[in-house]
């Protein structure tokens, strides 16, 4: 199906943590939304690929995602090369998104910056008709280039180029994050503690959203960086 907004993530839960409020806002405006995860998160210290897939399904129901796909790339070892670019190009042509949201341009986890560059390159290559890919029906896919590509902000502090007001959608965003019970703070878990599983990290996620919201006079926000200047049709549209 054709999507208005497609969020890409190196790992399941990247999107929920970083831009699910923006997806919810788009859906509330009548837009079609989807998520494509690059990997199954199989290198994660807590949980398993199976439990992560189950958690993603719960998050999908909470967010009301129209479509979600996992490309099955190797966690920690995927590369921005021809092989992986073509996999992503096929997905972009399959869903034909107008807007793509993708990983931070640089971050604590090396997969995130690499995924950001892979997304940028694949979004351009997807529009070249001389690059041939096949759809799920075995037929050649038509070229497609997203109108805009934006990078959400993750662990590392990056000054946003714009912020989306997600105040009305914060409860559902937080619920979607908590769907990943194996990854975040759970006082009853017997699994090893990680950077993400501490109460402090949960506090950080909320504080980051409040900080971004504060920048635009809202309670909660999500920040993004852009690849080219942002245009507006009429200046009073800005908040």
């Amino acid at each position: 199906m054709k999507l208005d907004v497609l969020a890409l993530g190196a790992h399941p839960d990247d999107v929920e943590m970083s831009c699910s409020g923006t997806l919810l806002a788009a859906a509330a405006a009548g837009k079609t939304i989807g998520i494509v995860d690059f990997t199954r998160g199989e290198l994660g210290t807590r949980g398993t690929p199976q439990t992560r897939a189950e958690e993603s399904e719960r998050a999908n129901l909470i967010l009301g995602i129209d479509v979600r796909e996992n490309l099955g790339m190797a966690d920690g070892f995927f590369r921005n090369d021809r092989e992986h670019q073509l996999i992503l190009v096929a997905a972009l042509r399959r869903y034909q998104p107008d807007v793509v949201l993708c990983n931070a341009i640089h971050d604590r986890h090396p997969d995130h910056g690499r995924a950001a560059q892979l997304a940028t390159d694949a979004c351009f290559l997807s529009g070249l008709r001389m690059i041939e890919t096949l759809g799920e029906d075995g037929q050649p896919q038509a070229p497609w280039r997203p109108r805009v590509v934006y990078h959400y902000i993750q662990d590392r502090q990056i000054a946003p180029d714009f912020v989306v007001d997600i105040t009305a959608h914060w409860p559902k965003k937080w619920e979607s994050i908590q769907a990943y019970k194996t990854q975040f703070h759970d006082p009853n878990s017997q699994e090893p503690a990680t950077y993400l599983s501490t109460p402090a990290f949960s506090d950080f996620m909320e504080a980051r959203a409040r900080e971004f919201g504060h920048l635009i006079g809202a309670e909660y926000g999500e920040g993004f960086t852009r690849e080219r200047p942002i245009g507006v049709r009429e200046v009073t549209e800005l908040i």
Side-chain angles (χ1 to χ4, degrees):
M1 67 181 301
K2 185 188 182 315
L3 298 174
D4 294 306
V5 184
L6 176 63
L8 308 177
H11 314 102
D13 75 19
D14 281 359
V15 167
E16 284 82 355
M17 285 193 287
S18 305
C19 68
S20 57
T22 299
L23 291 180
L24 286 164
K31 307 299 184 182
T32 52
I33 59 174
I35 299 174
V36 168
D37 302 306
F38 291 0
T39 77
R40 297 175 300 147
E42 62 269 24
L43 295 185
T45 300
R46 294 160 64 100
T48 65
Q50 180 180 351
T51 58
R52 191 74 69 92
E54 293 167 354
E55 291 164 346
S56 292
E57 286 298 324
R58 285 196 292 272
N60 293 346
L61 294 174
I62 294 165
L63 296 173
I65 298 298
D66 292 299
V67 64
R68 188 168 196 162
E69 179 180 356
N70 193 299
L71 299 180
M73 296 179 184
D75 190 9
F77 296 99
F78 69 86
R79 291 289 177 265
N80 180 22
D81 57 17
R82 184 178 186 276
E83 175 188 358
H84 293 85
Q85 289 164 358
L86 288 176
I87 292 171
L88 185 51
V89 164
L92 292 166
R93 290 175 172 180
R94 184 156 51 250
Y95 300 120
Q96 301 183 342
D98 295 314
V99 176
V100 166
L101 310 176
C102 56
N103 286 96
I105 54 175
H106 61 82
D107 204 47
R108 172 179 177 267
H109 197 308
D111 275 1
H112 295 166
R114 193 161 57 250
Q117 191 59 56
L118 172 57
T120 292
D121 292 350
C123 284
F124 180 82
L125 295 172
S126 182
L128 300 179
R129 68 181 184 88
M130 298 304 290
I131 293 178
E132 297 182 359
T133 54
L134 300 179
E136 294 175 323
D137 59 359
Q139 298 302 307
Q141 292 178 305
W144 180 267
R145 183 170 294 146
R147 183 166 51 84
V148 291
V149 178
Y150 299 131
H151 298 269
Y152 47 79
I153 296 170
Q154 298 184 261
D155 185 80
R156 292 296 183 247
Q157 176 72 315
I158 299 173
D161 292 318
F162 68 94
V163 175
V164 177
D165 180 358
I166 64 162
T167 304
H169 308 289
W170 172 256
K172 272 198 172 182
K173 172 188 171 76
W174 192 250
E175 187 181 354
S176 76
I177 292 172
Q178 297 308 306
Y180 292 88
K181 290 189 63 175
T182 60
Q183 301 305 305
F184 301 107
H185 179 60
D186 177 1
N188 299 314
S189 175
Q190 301 300 309
E191 296 199 76
T194 68
Y195 180 74
L196 302 184
S197 70
T198 65
F201 188 80
S202 294
D203 292 343
F204 159 75
M205 284 192 286
E206 180 172 359
R208 170 61 63 78
R210 286 186 177 275
E211 176 190 25
F212 283 147
H214 176 74
L215 292 174
I216 60 169
E219 189 172 0
Y220 294 99
E222 289 176 339
F224 296 84
T225 59
R226 45 73 177 169
E227 296 190 352
R228 62 173 175 80
I230 296 171
V232 296
R233 290 188 172 87
E234 202 270 310
V235 73
T236 62
E237 292 178 354
L238 300 174
I239 62 173

